[in-house]
């Protein structure tokens, strides 16, 4: 009888809840909507709807939801009676990642694979990146997604990080400015972004359980600064917390990071979500201000409900997080009833990716006027497996399901160049055999693992002599793959024996025949160049340019486009030369299978796997190499052009704490081109704090300058931008004294030095994110 009465009461409550007076999202106030929600509905809303095949949520995976937009990474929980729809969250940085085919549907839903993040940053062009973002955001909108899980802007701490291809730079200013431009572009379509991975996700090895141990100063100046710039300059809708621990606490469970710093200090107004299956304690995540747990699994829901009922979680905290999610939903196209077409203009976007890729390619060497290719060059001897099987981008959540990839072979043929058919046939046979040999084992993660490239094919000297006699120039492509889950091995940084032999043989034989050799680097991050760069006539770092990559490379090789990219990271002589290498998981592995992943049990104590000590502190990238006088192969900010530039009339003006530098840049060559102007600052010596030899504080790219044309570049720095973080006082401090403002074409090519007196200033902050145990920090 009691059971029957309870059933009747529940039916009555349900009918009342669905009645005409129930608050509706968008019509009633948010407080009223939240007040009408049951505890169970609130708990459902802060937890995603799950992921097919990964219900237990024990590991970080790349997944999909088959509801709404097949192949999207996740969805939010709908509550129809309150007018709350599900919204769609989709990867990724190089373009929207959804399934290209659907059950029972003959149509295809391909997306455009745009250039990787490293290439976009290498343009140093915020307007260009914003335009790329606009095109990506349009595909998000027209395919029915609401939030793009991008951009990714973690620091290139070490060349071997597996996801460096998604990230922008070793410098936080470049990272922040490029990410902010990307966010503005995407969000101009009325869809959202999720900047990631917040924070200090600088290795893939054991990414879900690694404890990044970093000083408060390095955090503030290096690893958090790019996020701060992006939040303040572009107002992303969401922030994605990272997988790792930070100074002993999971980032998604850290209230100092997710609330005190992000919201209270920086003024972030949006929503925070986890990376997929990130963190372990759902109640702690709610308290920290990590509003949504993705993709969601049942135990999180149960823990949140139990937490409220048992008094471990204040329901007011849950309501706060629910409110932020509802504020997000109100902005989305799905809530607003947008009728998406499923037909974005892929042809127009292909043109965008083709053009944008050319501006991020970096000309590393160009002797004997090897490039652009002379007008009489017709026949090209094309070497290297990746010439025929070009790498569009990295693997994992940063990949894109595209309709095609233009190889370098395709690009050459499209531009009217001739290639050797017998050489093509030999490479195609070799690649097919190698792919069969290297086919990954079946498994949940096999499709997302970094691609293992074919062993390079070595060609007989007699055949090379024949090709040299028949061809006008030799092109050699050196490829490197990278992706999510795994960091690159040290061997991946260096050329293989087969690469070295091919390069040496081709250069020797073609040069003997009076023919030039050009090397194209189809890579996602820095590789070793110092030992072999003297051999070819030219080297073009083409990065991974997306689906139109081959066309973009040939646009530069042929002179249709003039290279204007510059390095956003240092190319060291050896990867061991990086200060971070003594604290990086070199050739170490961690199990990524969900059965054996860390489930919150006591961690092991394996250096650089279970914990990584950032002993290099603020001396990341060029800050280390330039401050300690280390030889490099190519410095930060380096890049050649087909023309030359002259810097003149440098002037600095100070006005109420704002320092404005102007410089005239003149094209002194015979070809139109663009120049990236960089402004570094050297601070006076300080008794309190180590200071790097120089730090980038502003940059700008000129418009295309015709031969003889001059443009005046203006660069602005605020006094607050000159501050260093003083841990002892938890303050940003500007030391008084004479500052050197260095106008440069790279960190080691300074064109002018200007002086300015700067007054002392102090800005107090919260004392947070402290190291649990002191570490031996590198000092200058």
């Amino acid at each position: 009888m009691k059971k029957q009465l309870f059933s009747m009461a529940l039916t009555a409550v349900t009918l009342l809840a669905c009645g005409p007076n129930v608050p509706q999202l968008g019509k009633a106030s948010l407080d009223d909507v939240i007040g009408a929600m049951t505890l169970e509905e609130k708990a459902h809303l802060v937890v995603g709807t799950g992921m097919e095949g990964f219900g237990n949520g024990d590991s970080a995976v790349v997944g999909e939801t088959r509801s709404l937009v097949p192949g999207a990474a996740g969805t939010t929980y709908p509550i129809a009676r309150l007018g709350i729809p599900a919204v769609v969250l989709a990867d990724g940085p190089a373009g929207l990642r959804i399934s290209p085919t659907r059950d029972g549907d003959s149509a295809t839903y391909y997306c455009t694979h745009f250039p990787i993040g490293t290439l976009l940053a290498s343009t140093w062009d915020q307007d260009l990146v914003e335009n790329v973002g606009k095109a990506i955001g349009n595909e998000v909108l027209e395919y029915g997604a609401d939030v793009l899980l991008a951009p990714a802007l973690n620091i290139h701490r070490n060349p071997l990080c597996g996801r460096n291809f998604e990230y922008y730079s070793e410098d936080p200013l470049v990272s922040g400015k490029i990410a902010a431009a990307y966010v503005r572009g995407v969000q101009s379509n009325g869809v959202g972004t999720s900047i990631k991975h917040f924070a200090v996700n600088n290795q893939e090895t054991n990414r879900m359980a690694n404890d990044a141990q970093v000083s408060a100063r390095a955090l503030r100046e290096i690893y958090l600064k790019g996020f701060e710039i992006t939040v303040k300059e572009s107002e992303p809708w969401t922030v994605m917390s990272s997988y790792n621990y930070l100074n002993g606490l999971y980032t998604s469970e850290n209230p100092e990071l997710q609330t005190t710093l992000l919201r209270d200090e920086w003024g972030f107004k949006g929503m925070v979500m986890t990376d997929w299956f990130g963190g372990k304690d759902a109640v702690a995540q709610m308290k920290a201000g990590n509003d949504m747990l993705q993709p969601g699994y049942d135990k999180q829901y149960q823990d949140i409900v139990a937490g409220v009922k048992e008094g471990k979680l204040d329901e007011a905290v849950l309501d706060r997080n629910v409110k932020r999610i509802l504020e997000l939903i109100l902005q989305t196209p799905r809530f607003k009833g947008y009728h998406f077409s499923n037909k974005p203009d892929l042809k127009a976007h292909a043109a965008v990716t083709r053009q944008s890729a050319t501006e991020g390619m970096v000309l590393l060497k160009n002797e004997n006027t090897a490039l652009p290719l002379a007008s009489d060059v017709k026949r090209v001897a094309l070497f290297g497996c990746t010439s025929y099987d070009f790498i569009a981008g990295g693997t994992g959540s940063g990949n894109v399901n595209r309709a095609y990839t233009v190889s370098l072979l395709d690009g050459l043929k499209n531009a009217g160049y001739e290639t050797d058919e017998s050489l093509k046939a030999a490479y195609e046979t070799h690649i097919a055999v190698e792919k069969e040999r290297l086919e990954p084992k079946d498994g949940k993660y096999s499709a997302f693992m970094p691609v293992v490239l074919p062993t390079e094919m070595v060609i007989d000297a007699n055949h090379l002599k024949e090709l040299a006699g028949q061809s006008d120039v030799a092109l050699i492509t050196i490829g490197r793959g990278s992706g999510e889950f795994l960091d690159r091995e040290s061997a991946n940084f260096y050329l293989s024996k087969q690469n070295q032999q091919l390069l040496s043989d081709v250069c020797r034989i073609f040069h003997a025949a009076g023919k030039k050799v050009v090397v194209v680097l189809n890579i996602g991050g820095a590789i070793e160049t110092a030992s072999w760069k003297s051999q070819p006539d030219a080297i073009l770092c083409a990065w991974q340019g997306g689906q139109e990559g081959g066309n973009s490379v040939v646009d530069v090789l042929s002179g249709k486009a003039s290279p204007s990219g510059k390095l956003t990271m240092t190319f060291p002589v050896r990867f061991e030369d990086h200060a971070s290498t003594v604290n990086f998981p070199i050739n170490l592995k961690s199990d990524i299978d969900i059965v054996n992943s860390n489930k919150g049990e006591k961690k092991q104590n394996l250096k650089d796997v279970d914990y990584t000590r950032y002993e290099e502190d603020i001396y990341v990238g060029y800050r280390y190499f330039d401050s300690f006088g280390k030889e490099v192969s190519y410095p930060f900010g380096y890049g050649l052009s087909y023309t030359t530039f002259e810097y003149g009339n440098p002037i600095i003006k100070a006005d109420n704490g704002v320092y404005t530098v102007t410089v005239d840049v003149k094209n002194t060559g015979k070809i139109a081109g663009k120049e990236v102007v960089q402004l570094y600052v050297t601070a006076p010596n300080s008794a309190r704090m180590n200071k790097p030899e120089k730090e980038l504080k502003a940059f700008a790219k000129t418009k295309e300058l015709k031969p003889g044309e001059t443009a005046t570049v203006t660069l602005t720095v605020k006094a607050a931008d000159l501050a260093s973080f003083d841990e002892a006082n938890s303050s940003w401090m500007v030391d008084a004294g004479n500052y050197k403002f260095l106008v440069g074409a790279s960190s080691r090519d300074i064109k002018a030095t200007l002086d300015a007196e700067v007054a002392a200033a102090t800005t107090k902050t919260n004392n947070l994110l402290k190291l649990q145990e002191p570490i031996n920090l590198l000092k200058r």
Side-chain angles (χ1 to χ4, degrees):
M1 182 66 180
K2 286 182 179 180
K3 189 173 182 181
Q4 185 178 8
L5 288 172
F6 176 77
S7 178
M8 292 172 64
L10 182 62
T11 301
V13 169
T14 303
L15 290 172
L16 183 63
C18 297
N21 295 322
V22 175
Q24 298 293 296
L25 184 64
K27 296 179 181 178
S29 71
L30 288 180
D31 289 340
D32 285 346
V33 173
I34 295 169
M37 295 174 70
T38 65
L39 171 60
E40 290 74 17
E41 286 173 331
K42 295 174 186 177
H44 273 305
L45 189 64
V46 297
V47 177
T49 58
M51 182 185 297
E52 185 176 8
F54 296 99
N56 56 1
D58 284 333
S59 186
V61 295
V62 181
E64 61 179 63
T65 174
R66 294 194 179 279
S67 62
L68 302 181
V69 180
T75 52
T76 64
Y77 186 83
I79 307 174
R81 73 180 188 89
L82 298 172
I84 302 172
V87 298
V88 178
L89 317 171
D91 293 317
L96 181 66
R97 191 175 72 86
I98 60 175
S99 296
T101 58
R102 300 176 182 179
D103 293 341
D105 188 344
S106 61
T108 55
Y109 301 86
Y110 290 113
C111 298
T112 305
H113 194 318
F114 292 85
I116 61 172
T118 297
L119 188 154
L120 288 180
S122 298
T123 68
W124 297 68
D125 190 330
Q126 296 172 68
D127 291 338
L128 178 146
V129 174
E130 187 167 337
N131 285 332
V132 171
K134 288 178 180 177
I136 295 174
N138 175 258
E139 294 191 15
V140 175
L141 177 68
E142 294 301 338
Y143 276 130
D146 298 284
V147 177
L148 183 71
L149 304 176
L153 62 146
N154 293 103
I155 292 294
H156 287 198
R157 176 178 176 251
N158 187 278
L160 298 186
C161 176
R163 294 183 83 170
N164 275 353
F165 73 96
E166 289 186 58
Y167 305 152
Y168 294 134
S169 176
E170 67 189 21
D171 181 80
L173 179 70
V174 174
S175 298
K177 293 289 187 180
I178 296 299
Y182 182 106
V183 168
R184 288 192 298 269
V186 172
Q187 293 189 171
S188 68
N189 292 274
V191 296
T193 58
S194 189
I195 63 173
K196 62 185 187 182
H197 310 88
F198 191 61
V200 203
N201 185 178
N202 303 114
Q203 66 182 62
E204 287 298 283
T205 302
N206 200 29
R207 63 183 183 174
M208 293 195 75
N210 175 259
D211 184 11
Q213 300 175 4
V214 195
S215 75
R217 183 183 179 190
L219 283 172
R220 294 274 192 169
E221 293 187 18
I222 305 294
Y223 298 101
L224 299 176
K225 178 58 71 173
F227 287 96
E228 179 182 4
I229 292 169
T230 309
V231 165
K232 291 180 176 179
E233 294 189 3
S234 64
E235 299 183 349
W237 286 14
T238 80
V239 169
M240 181 188 292
S241 55
S242 58
Y243 287 128
N244 51 284
Y245 290 85
L246 174 57
N247 293 343
L249 189 63
Y250 270 123
T251 59
S252 62
E253 299 172 13
N254 191 330
E256 291 184 346
L257 183 66
Q258 305 300 348
T259 296
T260 309
L261 182 81
L262 179 62
R263 298 185 184 280
D264 299 344
E265 287 192 20
W266 297 352
F268 177 66
K269 303 298 183 185
M271 187 196 81
V272 176
M273 72 176 81
T274 61
D275 203 341
W276 268 224
F277 299 115
K280 298 298 176 183
D281 187 332
V283 170
Q285 290 170 311
M286 291 293 101
K287 291 179 178 179
N290 198 118
D291 308 301
M292 180 182 288
L293 312 182
Q294 280 290 344
Y297 53 99
D298 192 54
K299 186 177 184 301
Q300 293 173 322
Y301 163 78
Q302 294 172 0
D303 287 348
I304 291 169
V305 171
V308 173
K309 289 181 176 180
E310 296 169 7
K312 296 177 182 179
L313 176 62
D314 188 339
E315 191 164 0
V317 171
L318 183 59
D319 289 349
R320 174 199 67 185
N321 297 356
V322 166
K323 187 173 185 177
R324 291 171 182 160
I325 295 170
L326 294 178
E327 288 172 339
L328 169 77
I329 292 172
L330 284 170
Q331 300 179 79
T332 61
R334 192 165 297 275
F335 177 79
K336 294 178 179 179
Y338 181 74
H339 297 291
F340 55 91
S341 68
N342 269 329
K343 295 181 179 180
D345 192 343
L346 298 181
K347 184 176 181 180
H349 294 169
V352 171
T353 187
R354 176 172 179 170
Q355 185 276 328
S356 61
T358 66
E359 294 209 26
M361 295 180 183
V362 183
L363 185 61
L364 297 177
K365 179 181 180 180
N366 193 22
E367 293 184 352
N368 306 316
T369 60
L371 294 176
L373 297 174
S375 59
D376 59 352
V377 170
K378 302 297 182 184
R379 292 185 56 82
V380 177
L382 189 58
F383 301 99
C385 292
T386 45
S387 292
Y388 299 86
D389 190 14
F390 219 57
I391 305 169
T395 58
S397 61
N399 200 0
V400 180
N401 293 315
R402 57 200 177 274
Y404 61 87
T405 299
V406 177
S407 69
L408 185 53
L409 173 69
D410 297 331
L412 288 167
K413 288 187 173 182
N414 291 341
Y417 293 98
E418 299 176 22
T419 57
D420 187 87
E421 288 298 317
S422 64
L423 191 59
K424 172 192 170 186
Y427 267 107
E428 288 178 343
T429 299
H430 174 77
I431 291 169
V433 171
E434 282 290 286
K435 283 190 172 182
E436 184 174 349
R437 179 179 70 86
L438 297 168
E439 186 72 25
K441 298 177 181 179
D442 292 336
K444 283 183 179 178
Y445 312 110
S446 60
F448 305 112
M449 290 294 100
V451 175
V452 179
L453 299 182
T455 300
E456 193 54 78
M457 186 172 74
V458 177
I459 301 174
D460 178 79
N462 290 328
H463 190 190
L464 287 177
K465 289 179 182 178
E466 291 178 11
L467 291 168
Q470 299 167 1
S471 307
D472 300 318
V473 68
L475 293 184
I476 306 173
T477 303
I478 296 172
R480 286 292 181 274
S482 57
E484 199 169 350
F485 293 110
L486 299 174
D487 292 311
R488 292 165 58 195
E489 295 182 351
S490 58
N492 188 272
F493 183 80
Y494 295 96
L495 297 194
S496 67
K497 291 181 180 179
Q498 293 84 358
N499 274 140
Q500 292 173 352
Q501 184 176 342
L502 177 66
L503 178 65
S504 176
D505 290 348
V506 170
C507 287
R508 183 184 71 257
I509 292 172
F510 272 71
H511 285 163
K515 306 295 174 63
K516 294 170 184 175
V517 180
V518 176
V519 169
V520 175
L521 301 181
N522 182 202
I523 58 179
I527 67 169
E528 190 272 327
T529 55
S531 68
W532 57 267
K533 65 183 182 181
S534 63
Q535 297 180 60
D537 300 278
I539 305 171
L540 178 68
C541 181
W543 301 119
Q544 293 164 354
Q547 68 187 48
E548 287 283 331
N551 284 333
S552 299
V553 171
V554 176
D555 285 345
V556 173
L557 296 178
S558 66
K560 182 178 179 180
S562 182
S564 59
K566 296 205 175 189
L567 297 178
T568 61
M569 76 299 292
T570 306
F571 271 43
V573 174
R574 306 178 310 151
F575 87 88
E576 296 92 342
D577 292 342
H578 261 265
S580 63
T581 298
V582 295
N583 292 286
F584 192 82
I586 301 168
N587 302 335
L588 297 176
K589 303 296 182 187
S590 63
D591 200 327
I592 63 167
D593 189 83
I594 62 173
V595 175
N596 299 309
S597 66
N598 179 286
K599 296 184 179 67
E601 68 272 13
K602 183 178 179 181
K603 295 187 297 177
Q604 302 302 308
N605 201 36
L606 182 60
K607 180 180 180 293
D608 301 329
V609 175
D610 295 299
Y611 68 92
T612 303
R613 298 169 79 80
Y614 285 45
E615 292 177 335
E616 72 280 1
D617 201 37
I618 60 169
Y619 293 104
V620 178
Y622 73 91
R623 285 172 169 80
Y624 170 70
F625 289 103
D626 291 0
S627 298
F628 289 81
K630 299 291 185 180
E631 181 184 357
V632 301
S633 185
Y634 295 109
F636 175 83
Y638 174 87
L640 302 175
S641 172
Y642 289 158
T643 189
T644 54
F645 298 97
E646 179 182 272
Y647 289 58
N649 196 30
I651 298 172
I652 186 168
K653 294 182 179 179
D655 182 13
N656 196 28
V658 177
Y659 300 87
T660 302
V661 173
T662 57
V663 62
D664 294 337
V665 178
K666 181 179 181 180
N667 183 346
T668 54
K670 298 180 180 180
I671 297 176
K674 301 178 181 181
E675 173 69 334
V676 176
V677 181
Q678 302 153 46
L679 181 62
Y680 300 86
V681 174
T682 298
N685 291 327
S686 170
R688 288 192 309 275
M689 289 181 284
N690 269 305
K691 298 291 182 75
E693 193 273 334
K694 67 173 76 72
E695 294 182 283
L696 184 73
K697 295 299 179 183
F699 62 88
K701 192 169 191 176
T702 69
K703 66 173 186 176
E704 186 171 75
L705 300 178
K706 299 175 183 178
E709 186 177 3
T710 299
T712 299
V713 175
T714 301
L715 302 160
T716 302
V717 178
K718 297 177 182 177
D721 299 332
L722 304 175
S724 298
F725 190 75
D726 185 353
E727 293 184 25
N729 298 298
S730 297
S731 300
W732 287 102
M733 300 190 72
V734 179
D735 288 310
N738 181 269
Y739 285 69
K740 305 291 185 182
F741 288 73
L742 314 173
V743 180
S746 79
S747 73
R748 295 198 173 182
D749 185 9
I750 303 303
K751 304 294 188 180
T753 300
L754 303 166
D755 293 87
E757 292 296 321
V758 178
T762 301
T763 303
K764 190 70 176 176
T765 68
N766 294 287
N767 184 11
L768 44 73
L769 303 174
K770 294 185 294 184
L771 278 166
Q772 293 181 316
E773 298 178 9
I775 59 179
N776 295 320
L777 300 178
L778 183 64
K779 298 185 186 300
R780 186 178 171 198

